[in-house]
Amino acid sequence: MKYFLYPTFLLILISCSGDLNNNLSKIEIEESVYLGPDTSKIPEGPEGEMIRYGKDLIVNTAYYIGPDGVNGQYLGNKMNCTNCHLDAGTRPYGFNFFSTYANYPQYRSRENSVLTIEQRINNCVERPHNGVPLPLDSKEMIAITAYIQFLGRGVPIGETMLGSQGIDLQFPDRAADPENGKAIFLAECASCHLTNGEGVFTPDEVTYVYPPIWGPYSYQPGSSMFRIIKAARFIKANMPNDKATWQNPYLTDEQALDVAAYINSPEHFRPNNGGLDYKDSSTKYVDYPFGPYDDPFSQNQHKYGPFQEIIEYRKNHDLYLNY
Ligand code: HEC
Ligand code: HEC
């Protein structure tokens, strides 16, 4: 089964010592990162057609269901799902969908209830895309779900494969610094996303060559990308788009956190239809930047850090811990 961890390899590693072990550990991590099913195996027939349409929707979302979508107008902006779920949801550490199907229905702390995969898809239609939910029985919803189900084939129910979540970060002892982030942004990001953060359209203006990262056509503050830890984990593995890979990140952990703090700073306007309220404040993510909280840390610290203190405190007091 080429998709799973290699137990023999791990055994060899454990039996190695000292430097050799260190040299191998990077290779070992690469070997066990899950790369997903073979997408050339999408079946023929009606089911295959639905899966292919689902993939097409992830890549060309604005064309199909954007503000001027040919198959319905649901999104409030012209971004595509693949702008964040990279390579149509198949890139390790690029918010891929490999472990998604195996983990729904899932308890979601914001709603403080169990959501179906369709409801979770609509969360992204509503928040990062500032849109209105797809009808649960629409062809588009069925197609996206069918594609995500295809990508999840081979992943055992309830499992999360390595690379399905953001890349690991070490948190510094200081808060993320938006001023330092601004300098990084201007040097490393503005060439594509522009200094005003609003990105660059394709010539036909159906969608973007470089998607916006703030401004009226970007993601809402209720989106996961607005959380600094979450955004930094994405940025570290993937941005700048032409320089970073998960195997060779370009920014340091501190730089990724600083630039995430800058793009998500309140000086940058974002659309907001009010989807910010948690039903229960005790289930907020560590980096959820809107209080109240059930711990003694300020809203500012929850937004910018230092995060490690909050993590330790929540661990020691048996409080809900996620980030
Ligand atoms: C601005 C970035 C952004 C865009 C655009 C976006 N998403 Fe997301 N999406 C996220 C983030 C961030 C997460 C949380 C991932 C995590 O927690 O690891 C997420 C999570 C999800 C999940 C849950 C994944 C899981 O395994 O639990 C689904 C399903 C999803 N998105 C579908 C979509 C679809 C479909 C679209 C397009 C209509 C879309 N997203 C567009 C950022 C985005
Ligand atoms: C060479 C061009 C380029 C550079 C430089 C670049 N990006 Fe991107 N960025 C992209 C592209 C293209 C995408 C969409 C990826 C896709 O659709 O496959 C993207 C997507 C994103 C996204 C998610 C989508 C969105 O619009 O919210 C964020 C966040 C982001 N970039 C942040 C950054 C940051 C921070 C930097 C600097 C450290 C940076 N980028 C540098 C091209 C670039």
Side-chain angles (χ1 to χ4, degrees):
M1 296 283 294
K2 73 176 193 185
Y3 302 136
F4 296 100
L5 300 179
Y6 297 93
T8 34
F9 199 80
L10 287 174
L11 273 180
I12 295 167
L13 264 182
I14 290 162
S15 60
C16 290
S17 63
D19 290 340
L20 187 54
N21 197 345
N22 287 339
N23 289 339
L24 278 176
S25 61
K26 189 166 179 235
I27 303 169
E28 182 265 324
I29 289 168
E30 286 195 28
E31 289 287 322
S32 53
V33 165
Y34 182 64
L35 302 176
D38 181 351
T39 43
S40 71
K41 300 250 164 68
I42 297 179
E44 295 305 320
E47 194 188 333
E49 274 167 38
M50 200 56 117
I51 295 169
R52 283 193 186 85
Y53 181 43
K55 179 178 181 186
D56 215 9
L57 278 160
I58 298 293
V59 176
N60 300 304
T61 326
Y63 170 76
Y64 286 114
I65 57 169
D68 307 310
V70 294
N71 289 350
Q73 294 84 45
Y74 294 98
L75 310 183
N77 62 38
K78 296 182 173 180
M79 290 175 68
N80 300 312
C81 312
T82 196
N83 293 158
C84 298
H85 300 285
L86 299 174
D87 300 339
T90 67
R91 189 185 300 177
Y93 300 105
F95 295 142
N96 69 60
F97 292 132
F98 298 143
S99 305
T100 304
Y101 201 80
N103 283 283
Y104 284 84
Q106 183 185 111
Y107 168 77
R108 303 289 307 163
S109 60
R110 181 197 304 261
E111 292 81 6
N112 199 18
S113 65
V114 174
L115 263 58
T116 63
I117 186 151
E118 290 86 354
Q119 289 172 311
R120 182 66 186 89
I121 289 167
N122 271 336
N123 280 173
C124 269
V125 171
E126 290 181 86
R127 294 195 286 255
H129 287 285
N130 194 30
V132 293
L134 288 165
L136 298 182
D137 60 354
S138 60
K139 184 176 177 191
E140 284 64 35
M141 180 59 89
I142 295 167
I144 292 172
T145 311
Y147 175 59
I148 291 178
Q149 193 253 35
F150 174 81
L151 291 180
R153 289 183 190 181
V155 175
I157 301 294
E159 289 290 317
T160 298
M161 309 305 274
L162 190 59
S164 289
Q165 292 179 325
I167 204 161
D168 280 345
L169 287 180
Q170 300 290 322
F171 300 113
D173 282 338
R174 63 164 177 86
D177 177 357
E179 274 308 305
N180 191 31
K182 181 177 184 177
I184 297 164
F185 183 85
L186 293 175
E188 303 291 354
C189 321
S191 57
C192 294
H193 295 287
L194 302 192
T195 45
N196 68 6
E198 290 183 16
V200 178
F201 274 126
T202 51
D204 59 11
E205 299 199 2
V206 170
T207 185
Y208 292 95
V209 183
Y210 304 120
I213 45 188
W214 69 79
Y217 307 110
S218 185
Y219 55 87
Q220 294 190 11
S223 310
S224 302
M225 196 65 102
F226 191 69
R227 287 165 36 212
I228 286 171
I229 297 179
K230 183 64 84 181
R233 293 172 80 180
F234 171 87
I235 291 166
K236 178 183 168 185
N238 300 295
M239 292 292 143
N241 196 42
D242 57 346
K243 291 181 183 151
T245 61
W246 60 268
Q247 295 98 328
N248 283 305
Y250 179 76
L251 300 180
T252 64
D253 294 10
E254 295 196 23
Q255 289 172 324
L257 286 159
D258 289 349
V259 79
Y262 174 66
I263 67 177
N264 289 327
S265 99
E267 76 188 78
H268 297 140
F269 177 82
R270 295 182 180 281
N272 182 4
N273 66 6
L276 296 179
D277 47 324
Y278 268 58
K279 292 220 169 93
D280 176 352
S281 63
S282 73
T283 60
K284 288 181 181 173
Y285 291 94
V286 167
D287 55 338
Y288 193 72
F290 303 100
Y293 305 98
D294 65 338
D295 61 34
F297 300 99
S298 67
Q299 177 166 296
N300 209 53
Q301 185 162 352
H302 277 279
K303 182 168 171 89
Y304 295 108
F307 296 113
Q308 198 59 43
E309 295 175 33
I310 308 181
I311 294 168
E312 295 304 327
Y313 181 93
R314 298 194 67 85
K315 230 185 249 167
N316 294 338
H317 291 79
D318 263 340
L319 300 175
Y320 178 83
L321 180 60
N322 208 340
Y323 53 88

